[in-house]
Amino acid sequence: MRTMTLARATDRIESTRLVLRRIRASDLPFFTRIHSVADVVRYTGHGRPRSAEETQQWLQATIASYEELELGQLAVLRKADGALLGRCGLSDLVIESEPASLAIRRGWFGRAQAPAGLAMIQEQELGYTFDATYWGHGYATEAAQCVFAYARD
């Protein structure tokens, strides 16, 4: 599987209706808005709305992840008009490999968040978050298929 997000010489990946590119600092107002909506973030890693400061920290970490981990979330834009719809990509997920007897395995997004000294399995998780205005049009499915195909090749 290819590392994700985009190879250094690649500035975008495309599907029939979408363009996926690295998230930029100028995307902050959009992500601040959608990250504050409970229905939009219900199934994300923390499951609750983010403050503007938390979203700014997330955006900075996302941009840093491109260099450090070569994976991360990509901005998803509609080809027809360039509208920013959301994000989709791979995240670094670490899971404890040897949980206590009868315990459920714990997991963390990013090795730095996991407790030191635990045996870990590193995985990549495909996830997405879209502005609710664009739900129900197949954009998340199309973006996820695009990311998976790129990472697989």
Side-chain angles (χ1 to χ4, degrees), residues 58-71:
W58 168 83
L59 188 127
Q60 290 168 342
T62 297
I63 292 170
S65 76
Y66 298 150
E67 293 300 319
E68 295 168 16
L69 303 172
E70 294 187 341
L71 57 83

Side-chain angles (χ1 to χ4, degrees), residues 114-133:
L118 290 178
M120 298 287 175
I121 300 168
Q122 187 164 349
E123 298 288 340
Q124 294 178 353
E125 180 178 84
L126 188 136
Y128 53 84
T129 305
F130 281 77
D131 184 323
T133 304

